[in-house]
Amino acid sequence: MNFRRINKPKARVEIYSKPDCHLCDEAKAVLLRVRKRYPFELLEVDITQDGRYDEFREQIPVIFVNERKAFKYRVDEREFIRKLEQV
């Protein structure tokens, strides 16, 4: 007998950001707006706290969809939805 989880988000989205970053705030707003229609797991990582500051400081916000880098600096809402629909 096969069991399937219902309403389990198919995508995991990670946003690497830092406090007081207006581009990060804009990207988060897009993610949250889209999340209302397309459920996904969202993880926010503060690069100043997790040791990745040197890796991402020039690129933030950086957004990964299922562990693949999808965006940096800005999130194109239509492209983000397209990526979620492909999962």
Side-chain angles (χ1 to χ4, degrees):
M1 182 181 274
N2 288 335
F3 290 96
R4 197 173 120 220
R5 282 194 133 151
I6 299 173
N7 295 329
K8 181 179 186 257
K10 294 180 180 179
R12 176 184 169 114
V13 177
E14 298 168 73
I15 179 169
Y16 291 81
S17 62
K18 71 180 183 93
D20 300 318
C21 167
H22 74 280
L23 289 178
C24 301
D25 294 339
E26 289 174 13
K28 286 182 230 177
V30 172
L31 298 180
L32 294 175
R33 185 169 52 245
V34 170
R35 192 176 186 202
K36 291 178 184 176
R37 295 178 303 184
Y38 298 88
F40 57 86
E41 180 183 357
L42 179 60
L43 176 66
E44 184 176 351
V45 180
D46 180 345
I47 65 168
T48 65
Q49 300 295 314
D50 86 331
R52 295 188 183 180
Y53 185 78
D54 289 335
E55 180 181 357
F56 289 125
R57 71 175 174 207
E58 300 293 327
Q59 300 179 41
I60 60 168
V62 180
I63 292 85
F64 287 80
V65 176
N66 287 345
E67 299 181 6
R68 298 184 81 165
K69 187 188 269 186
F71 301 96
K72 63 181 180 180
Y73 311 124
R74 298 192 186 282
V75 178
D76 179 284
E77 187 169 335
R78 287 184 186 160
E79 180 67 15
F80 181 53
I81 290 169
R82 189 181 71 73
K83 288 180 182 299
L84 291 175
E85 288 175 337
Q86 290 178 346
V87 174

